[in-house]
Amino acid sequence: MSAVATSLPAAPPRRPRTTIVGSLLISGAAFMSFIGLLGIYVLRRAHARDAGEEWFSEGVIELGPSGWIFWTLILSVFTVQWAEWSVRTGDRANGLWALGLTMLFGVAVFNQLWFIVNDTGFALASSEPELLFFVLVGVFIFFLISAMAFMLVTTLRAFIGQHRERQSDGVAAAAVYWNTVCVMYWVTWYAVFVTK
């Protein structure tokens, strides 16, 4: 038997998924560091309650504004997945709309967090509970801003045409990081705002 050579061109090499792997590693590190801070917050609150101390006075932290952030981030998960799917399937216009909506949701979350911080009337050096609240919210805002910056770069690259069907890993990587930041807030929402 003799081998017959075909005249078909070789398939283009598959791109390595280094962007997604890097985003997974960064997302994991960010999530673990944030959960560590949240663990310190919950532990100090448990010690204060065991000692019979009041952590926050009643009604200082309202549940309503933080609930709006919760639902806004749920909507943003859908829009970021819509963006990833649109870019992967070649629907560039819908991908850009979805990326823009996701960033708009991020701005809305930032605005609502700013309102919560101002509404509580906490002072940074007033007490340990208020300091830990500021640290937790501040670190979350840092991760939110970094996710929004990642989305902005991804949107600009999609706008100029660098993200296409075969090169959609950048959008998927941004979606991974965005979803991780959303999970950070959902855990914080329950541990800080719901259980107080």
Side-chain angles (χ1 to χ4, degrees):
M1 299 230 30
S2 63
V4 178
T6 63
S7 61
L8 296 174
R14 184 173 173 90
R15 283 186 60 158
R17 297 191 167 245
T18 53
T19 310
I20 293 177
V21 171
S23 182
L24 284 169
L25 290 172
I26 289 171
S27 298
F31 187 75
M32 287 188 297
S33 63
F34 188 78
I35 292 300
L37 284 173
L38 184 62
I40 292 169
Y41 178 90
V42 170
L43 183 67
R44 296 301 301 156
R45 183 177 66 187
H47 287 313
R49 288 185 178 165
D50 289 343
E53 300 171 9
E54 184 179 44
W55 188 251
F56 290 129
S57 45
E58 188 66 32
V60 172
I61 298 178
E62 297 180 24
L63 190 57
S66 63
W68 283 108
I69 295 173
F70 180 88
W71 291 108
T72 303
L73 288 175
I74 285 181
L75 289 173
S76 75
V77 166
F78 286 105
T79 58
V80 79
Q81 291 308 125
W82 172 31
E84 192 272 332
W85 181 81
S86 296
V87 170
R88 188 169 28 92
T89 58
D91 188 2
R92 186 169 172 247
N94 278 324
L96 290 172
W97 272 108
L99 287 167
L101 274 174
T102 304
M103 288 194 310
L104 185 65
F105 285 141
V107 170
V109 167
F110 179 80
N111 183 38
Q112 195 66 30
L113 280 170
W114 194 262
F115 170 78
I116 289 171
V117 168
N118 288 331
D119 188 50
T120 58
F122 290 164
L124 190 58
S126 177
S127 66
E128 182 186 24
E130 294 179 9
L131 173 67
L132 289 174
F133 179 82
F134 273 118
V135 168
L136 206 57
V137 171
V139 170
F140 177 77
I141 288 174
F142 168 77
F143 285 127
L144 177 67
I145 290 172
S146 66
M148 289 173 61
F150 199 172
M151 278 293 153
L152 179 63
V153 170
T154 303
T155 303
L156 291 175
R157 291 187 67 193
F159 184 74
I160 62 174
Q162 290 184 352
H163 293 305
R164 301 255 182 218
E165 296 89 5
R166 292 188 49 83
Q167 299 172 342
S168 63
D169 287 353
V171 182
V176 165
Y177 188 67
W178 184 269
N179 292 336
T180 302
V181 171
C182 291
V183 171
M184 284 180 196
Y185 180 77
W186 295 332
V187 173
T188 306
W189 178 72
Y190 181 74
V192 175
F193 295 100
V194 173
T195 61
K196 296 186 182 109

